[in-house]
């Protein structure tokens, strides 16, 4: 008998993968949390039935949500990650020797605990002395910490449940206030195939909050449709104007300096979303 996990990504579409065994299940204060061992992607973290990360393809998401902003800012010292309890973004942030403090504001401490146990390669840097783990509401944390950060990275789930507020203009305005005068933010903004209206609205909100707004994409096979978007807002530095010779090169598996500007060359239908046209 074979066991398969299916994520219903829309009313008419889902993905399915063969499961070897269930490693962990609990219902936290905020969501249903599962860790399953899959045949194709290794361990998989699932929140409320949605795939968050896997052993095999996690590097794409964590590198791409982190390095565009971090490598655009010339001297990032103070960094905030909202969400991201698996620790993957923190791991990538700490590659930068300029970073003095990296705050993780994760609302669900159980996600952090499960990630440390079942995803040590992802969560292994959460105990680094530069990391300040705050089990708290990211929206509230931003409101209480104005003008402190060089880079803020919003590593949220999809806009469901506790993450709904992380896709609204007041949140982006709060981020702007929490950033220093030359700060940069970036957020995951879902897939243009299934959430075109969300991408259109988020880009409109971020571009009306920051003088520079850019959307870019990456391929993540376990996320809905495989094509995933990120939206960056910056007060001063444009990722398209950085000197490529100054970009830091790390032992990464997806991001590299040669991709830094290329990822902003969007497919025509995605460009239409962010330019105010129709999908």
């Amino acid at each position: 008998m074979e066991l398969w996990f299916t994520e219903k990504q829309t009313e008419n579409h889902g993905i399915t993968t063969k499961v070897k065994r269930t490693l962990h299940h609990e219902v936290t204060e905020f969501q249903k949390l599962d860790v399953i061992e899959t045949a194709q992607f290794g361990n998989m973290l699932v929140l409320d039935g949605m795939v968050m990360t896997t052993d095999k393809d996690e590097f794409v998401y964590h590198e791409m949500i982190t390095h565009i902003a971090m490598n655009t800012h010339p001297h990032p010292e103070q960094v905030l990650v909202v969400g991201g309890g698996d620790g993957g973004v923190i791991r990538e942030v700490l590659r930068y020797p300029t970073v003095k403090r990296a705050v993780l504001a994760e609302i669900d401490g159980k996600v952090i605990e499960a990630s440390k146990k079942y995803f040590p390669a992802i969560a292994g840097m959460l105990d680094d002395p530069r990391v300040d783990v705050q089990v708290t509401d990211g929206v509230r944390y931003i409101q209480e910490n104005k003008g402190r950060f060089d880079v803020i990275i919003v590593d949220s789930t999809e806009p469901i449940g506790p993450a709904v507020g992380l896709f609204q203009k007041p949140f982006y305005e709060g981020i702007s206030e929490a950033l220093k005068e030359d700060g940069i933010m970036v957020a995951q903004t879902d897939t243009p195939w299934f959430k075109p209206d969300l991408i259109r609205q988020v880009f409109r909100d971020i571009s009306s909050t920051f003088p520079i707004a850019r959307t870019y994409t990456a391929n993540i096979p376990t996320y809905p449709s495989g094509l995933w978007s990120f939206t960056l807002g910056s007060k001063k530095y444009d990722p398209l104007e950085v000197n490529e010779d100054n970009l830091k090169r790390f032992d990464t598996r997806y991001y590299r300096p040669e991709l830094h500007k290329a990822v902003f060359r969007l497919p025509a239908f995605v460009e239409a979303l962010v330019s105010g046209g129709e999908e």
Side-chain angles (χ1 to χ4, degrees), residues 133-154:
V133 176
Q134 297 285 327
V135 179
T136 186
D137 181 355
V139 175
R140 186 186 323 123
Y141 188 87
I142 281 175
Q143 293 171 344
E144 296 172 351
N145 291 271
K146 299 185 184 300
R148 291 194 176 187
F149 297 101
D150 300 298
V151 177
I152 296 178
I153 301 171
V154 185

Side-chain angles (χ1 to χ4, degrees), residues 4 9 35 49 103 141 151 160 201 214 239:
W4 292 72
Q9 298 176 340
V35 180
V103 179
Y141 188 87
V151 177
I160 298 171
Q201 182 62 52
R214 305 287 186 195

Side-chain angles (χ1 to χ4, degrees), residues 60-258:
V60 183
Y61 177 84
H62 292 132
E63 290 177 13
M64 292 305 291
I65 198 174
T66 302
H67 291 293
I68 299 293
M70 290 292 292
N71 229 349
T72 296
H73 196 288
H75 199 79
E77 294 183 349
Q78 303 289 328
V79 181
L80 170 63
V81 179
V82 178
D86 56 48
V89 173
I90 289 290
R91 180 194 66 199
E92 298 303 313
V93 163
L94 293 181
R95 291 180 184 267
Y96 291 79
T98 58
V99 172
K100 296 180 178 179
R101 177 170 173 257
V103 179
L104 177 71
E106 164 62 54
I107 197 170
D108 195 341
K110 296 297 184 181
V111 174
I112 298 173
E113 294 176 12
S115 298
K116 286 183 174 181
K117 183 174 181 180
Y118 297 105
F119 300 90
I122 303 176
M125 297 299 290
L126 288 176
D127 294 324
D128 187 281
R130 291 171 291 173
V131 179
D132 178 9
V133 176
Q134 297 285 327
V135 179
T136 186
D137 181 355
V139 175
R140 186 186 323 123
Y141 188 87
I142 281 175
Q143 293 171 344
E144 296 172 351
N145 291 271
K146 299 185 184 300
R148 291 194 176 187
F149 297 101
D150 300 298
V151 177
I152 296 178
I153 301 171
V154 185
D155 178 9
S156 67
T157 60
E158 294 185 53
I160 298 171
V164 169
L166 305 185
F167 290 82
Q168 299 174 352
K169 187 174 182 179
F171 179 59
Y172 304 131
E173 293 172 338
I175 288 177
S176 179
E177 293 177 356
L179 287 167
K180 297 178 184 178
E181 61 183 12
D182 63 347
I184 300 175
M185 69 142 299
V186 65
Q188 73 85 5
T189 46
D190 221 292
T191 172
W193 285 111
F194 302 150
K195 298 289 182 66
D197 291 339
L198 175 68
I199 293 174
R200 187 184 292 111
Q201 182 62 52
V202 166
F203 186 81
R204 185 182 301 126
D205 290 343
I206 291 178
S207 62
S208 66
T209 305
F210 292 87
I212 299 167
R214 305 287 186 195
T215 292
Y216 61 97
T217 61
N219 177 261
I220 307 171
T222 54
Y223 282 10
S225 84
L227 180 65
W228 208 249
S229 77
F230 306 86
T231 302
L232 177 147
S234 178
K235 294 184 176 183
K236 182 176 181 180
Y237 307 112
D238 190 337
L240 294 180
E241 295 181 358
V242 297
N243 186 333
E244 294 183 35
D245 293 334
N246 294 334
L247 293 174
K248 297 175 180 63
R249 187 180 296 273
F250 302 102
D251 184 23
T252 49
R253 299 174 62 194
Y254 193 100
Y255 174 85
R256 55 181 180 151
E258 293 83 356

